[in-house]
Amino acid sequence: MPTHSDLGPRTQGGTLQSSEVPGISTAGPTFVTSSTPGNKTVDLFPVLPICVCDLTPSACDINCCCDSDCYLLHPRTVFSFCLPGSVRSASWVCVDNSLIFRSNSPFPSRVFMDSNGIKQFCVHVNNSRLNYLQKLQKVNATNFQALATEFGGESFTSTSQTQSPSSFYRAGDPILTYFPKWSVISLLRQPAGVGAGGLCAKSNPAGFLESKSTTCARFFKNLADSCTSDPALNAASYYNFTVLKVPRGMSDLQNMELQVPVTPVSQAGSPVLAGNTCQNVVAQVIYEIETNGTFGIQKVSVSFGQTNLTVEPGTSLQQDFIIHFRAFQQSTAASLTGSRSGNPGYIVGKPLLVLTGDMRHSMTLLQSQGDGTCSIKRHEVQFGVNAISGCKLRLKRVDCSHLQQELYQALHGSPRPEHIAIFGNADPAQKGEWTQILSRNYSVSAMHCTSCCVIPVSLEIQILWAYIGLQSNPQAHVSGARFLYQLQSIQDSQPKTEVPLKTVVTFVDITQKPEPPRGQPRMDWKYPFDFFFPFKMAFSRGEGSQKGSIFPIIILCLLLLGVLNHRD
């Protein structure tokens, strides 16, 4: 057992560094297991008889503190840490140091400083169970099977009966397919590239609800023969089967209600060898699979990308296989609602939702082409992301009113947003979940002329938003929005061919944070009920006794004055 001086280096104030006893708690006794480093003269943990990290014979294994090949008396001074199992474990029992007046423990003790700067009184307990293992059980022919059954798990060669197929797919399960022509059950395959050359491995199964894409390569020694005979090049081989809605469909293959046909989106031709070219070769396969929870797969469609290959030695083909999963939509109206931008609060980076009439869409900004002119495409406004964009709009020779209409439409997009969604899951049918977008114009150039046309040249979209709800789970909502148009006057006698336009979106956080919670109550100092007992005894005695007791009374008064000053 180590002595009191063997518990490691001291820090200033007579305490060890808090990192040497991690996990010290300030509430009640705490049992802590640590490996405290030794000092320069005595190692707290001697070399273990079995060194589990000594893996390299006749060489020092890094951070293996029990490796005798390292020839280190104090490995902790050289290594950054000791690997688990290379030092003996130590058990410490700790309580608040203020609770200890005197220690009569026969075990070594030490005062540590925890991470909060509170002193902890810890006792090093001799717990032999930390460093010794259970005795090895004897195994013989009598108890072998009993031990294997009690402690064993699943076996690769299970002797149990085959379980019935599951009633629904789980995420990652292989998708079952059925070939009616040959009465064969198989799996939906998604070929993937293997090896350095990325050769196609057709046995790779597709996982349920796992949307992903793979790419692989095929090489042909004789493309003229493979063009019409290789099923990997023929689009028909990717939809000449049905998909089982749920796994239990394999137990009733005659029930067509449990099967879904694979429908091609467009007609894809079969490979044809025309002269020195193999036409209609499959280069891309895209499966769109719609699911409905535990009801399984409801719809499967496939589309193809085809190409032509030149017949020559060593011809190669790169194929892409993409599988998308999405929720099954019962009607077209449901599919028009689009995805949410939060539920309920907005998520930063999601589209900012607006409403025009009963149509929901996203707010957009100007987008320029390569030559700087305005493009038909527009940038989508993302919630919480300030943005600015600009372009040059080429004008036609039209009157002022048509010119104004064209510029307004270019700035705010078509159709013009009328309302903005308060939350990211706003329903177009619920008008209370939308707020009207305010509008304001201001002019930067005033020209006093009779033949002037005032046109908008800039739009600033101002969004006021705030967090509401619990501080532990705040929800972002839009409080208001405003379109601020900047106007400019131009003379009709000098028509412009191009007008530079600019759109800006700014998000302003107006969250009113509540007052912080009050701190912990101050300590209420109370004196013992018999604190003034010495004063009473002193004055209850005679006059002669009072003279002899005047000195201790003065001492008590000074102590009382010091306590009061410390409290202030």
Side-chain angles (χ1 to χ4, degrees):
M1 176 59 62
T3 63
H4 184 78
S5 62
D6 296 335
L7 293 180
R10 294 176 179 267
T11 60
Q12 293 182 359
T15 61
L16 284 179
Q17 297 178 359
S18 60
S19 60
E20 297 179 358
V21 183
I24 290 180
S25 174
T26 60
T30 304
F31 296 87
V32 181
T33 301
S34 77
S35 300
T36 307
N39 55 27
K40 297 182 180 180
T41 58
V42 179
D43 194 356
L44 179 59
F45 303 112
V47 178
L48 297 176
I50 300 177
C51 191
V52 296
C53 56
D54 185 6
L55 304 180
T56 308
S58 303
C60 178
D61 292 273
I62 302 301
N63 296 327
C64 184
C65 294
C66 59
D67 192 350
S68 58
D69 297 324
C70 296
Y71 300 102
L72 297 174
L73 180 60
H74 306 288
R76 293 177 183 273
T77 60
V78 178
F79 296 146
S80 58
F81 65 94
C82 290
L83 291 172
S86 63
V87 293
R88 293 187 184 274
S89 299
S91 178
W92 296 84
V93 180
C94 301
V95 296
D96 197 305
N97 186 49
S98 62
L99 302 177
I100 303 300
F101 177 72
R102 178 183 298 170
S103 173
N104 297 325
S105 172
F107 302 105
S109 60
R110 178 61 56 86
V111 176
F112 294 97
M113 189 79 72
D114 66 4
S115 59
N116 296 324
I118 302 176
K119 294 183 179 180
Q120 299 286 319
F121 176 81
C122 300
V123 177
H124 188 189
V125 182
N126 184 14
N127 187 359
S128 60
R129 289 179 297 178
L130 294 175
N131 297 291
Y132 294 94
L133 299 176
Q134 183 180 350
K135 292 183 178 180
L136 186 64
Q137 299 188 56
K138 294 183 179 180
V139 180
N140 49 40
T142 305
N143 63 357
F144 188 96
Q145 183 60 36
L147 292 174
T149 304
E150 180 181 359
F151 300 100
E154 295 290 337
S155 174
F156 288 104
T157 57
S158 177
T159 58
S160 60
Q161 298 181 355
T162 304
Q163 297 181 355
S164 59
S166 174
S167 58
F168 56 88
Y169 287 108
R170 291 176 173 83
D173 286 352
I175 300 173
L176 299 176
T177 59
Y178 176 62
F179 292 83
K181 185 177 181 179
W182 300 283
S183 299
V184 174
I185 297 177
S186 184
L187 301 176
L188 182 63
R189 308 291 183 178
Q190 186 178 12
V194 295
L199 299 179
C200 291
K202 62 181 181 179
S203 60
N204 181 51
F208 183 69
L209 295 181
E210 293 182 350
S211 299
K212 59 182 179 180
S213 61
T214 57
T215 302
C216 60
R218 299 185 187 273
F219 295 88
F220 305 95
K221 295 181 179 180
N222 189 352
L223 182 59
D225 295 338
S226 302
C227 179
T228 56
S229 62
D230 192 342
L233 306 182
N234 193 345
S237 63
Y238 295 98
Y239 61 88
N240 62 344
F241 52 84
T242 60
V243 176
L244 301 186
K245 287 186 176 181
V246 289
R248 62 181 177 87
M250 62 186 302
S251 60
D252 188 8
L253 296 175
Q254 303 303 320
N255 187 358
M256 298 304 297
E257 294 182 356
L258 298 178
Q259 300 179 25
V260 179
V262 181
T263 306
V265 175
S266 59
Q267 191 65 31
S270 300
V272 176
L273 184 60
N276 200 33
T277 303
C278 182
Q279 301 176 355
N280 301 331
V281 175
V282 173
Q284 185 182 61
V285 182
I286 303 176
Y287 284 106
E288 295 285 346
I289 302 177
E290 298 185 15
T291 63
N292 188 14
T294 57
F295 293 98
I297 298 172
Q298 303 298 315
K299 183 179 179 180
V300 181
S301 60
V302 61
S303 58
F304 300 96
Q306 294 181 309
T307 186
N308 299 331
L309 295 179
T310 303
V311 178
E312 58 185 8
T315 303
S316 63
L317 170 67
Q318 178 176 302
Q319 289 183 314
D320 299 324
F321 298 90
I322 304 172
I323 295 183
H324 290 154
F325 288 88
R326 65 169 182 261
F328 177 67
Q329 301 293 346
Q330 296 289 347
S331 62
T332 307
S335 62
L336 294 177
T337 58
S339 59
R340 303 186 184 100
S341 293
N343 192 24
Y346 273 101
I347 299 176
V348 175
K350 291 293 184 178
L352 187 64
L353 304 180
V354 292
L355 188 69
T356 302
D358 293 331
M359 184 181 68
R360 192 186 79 165
H361 54 100
S362 301
M363 186 175 289
T364 57
L365 301 176
L366 291 170
Q367 181 174 343
S368 62
Q369 300 183 113
D371 57 354
T373 59
C374 295
S375 172
I376 300 177
K377 299 180 180 179
R378 296 176 64 88
H379 289 293
E380 195 173 55
V381 176
Q382 299 176 342
F383 179 82
V385 180
N386 297 335
I388 182 173
S389 63
C391 60
K392 293 182 179 180
L393 182 64
R394 292 178 178 175
L395 302 179
K396 302 177 182 179
R397 290 185 176 273
V398 293
D399 55 19
C400 181
S401 60
H402 287 85
L403 179 59
Q404 291 174 342
Q405 183 179 358
E406 181 182 359
L407 292 176
Y408 274 114
Q409 182 175 340
L411 289 172
H412 55 59
S414 178
R416 184 188 187 281
E418 299 174 352
H419 297 80
I420 188 169
I422 298 176
F423 287 101
N425 62 346
D427 185 359
Q430 302 295 330
K431 300 303 180 182
E433 298 180 3
W434 304 80
T435 182
Q436 185 176 4
I437 299 176
L438 306 178
S439 180
R440 179 187 173 188
N441 299 333
Y442 74 96
S443 178
V444 295
S445 62
M447 297 180 61
H448 301 283
C449 62
T450 57
S451 60
C452 291
C453 182
V454 180
I455 60 173
V457 294
S458 174
L459 169 61
E460 181 180 358
I461 305 172
Q462 300 173 337
I463 309 295
L464 303 183
W465 69 279
Y467 281 118
I468 62 173
L470 297 175
Q471 294 190 59
S472 59
N473 186 24
Q475 302 296 317
H477 84 296
V478 173
S479 302
R482 182 176 68 172
F483 283 174
L484 191 59
Y485 294 97
Q486 176 182 325
L487 306 180
Q488 183 178 349
S489 300
I490 60 173
Q491 292 184 353
D492 293 340
S493 59
Q494 298 177 355
K496 293 186 177 182
T497 58
E498 289 184 347
V499 175
L501 301 180
K502 181 178 66 173
T503 50
V504 181
V505 59
T506 56
F507 290 84
V508 181
D509 185 2
I510 59 172
T511 303
Q512 294 182 354
K513 298 182 180 180
E515 295 182 1
R518 293 185 299 174
Q520 297 294 330
R522 297 182 60 183
M523 187 70 69
D524 187 10
W525 294 93
K526 293 183 179 180
Y527 299 110
F529 68 94
D530 58 348
F531 180 80
F532 293 97
F533 178 76
F535 299 94
K536 296 179 181 179
M537 293 298 298
F539 287 103
S540 64
R541 297 177 183 176
E543 184 177 351
S545 300
Q546 293 179 7
K547 293 181 180 180
S549 303
I550 191 67
F551 182 74
I553 292 175
I554 294 175
I555 297 298
L556 290 175
C557 292
L558 292 176
L559 290 175
L560 178 60
L561 182 60
V563 171
L564 293 176
N565 291 334
H566 178 71
R567 180 182 179 184
D568 294 336

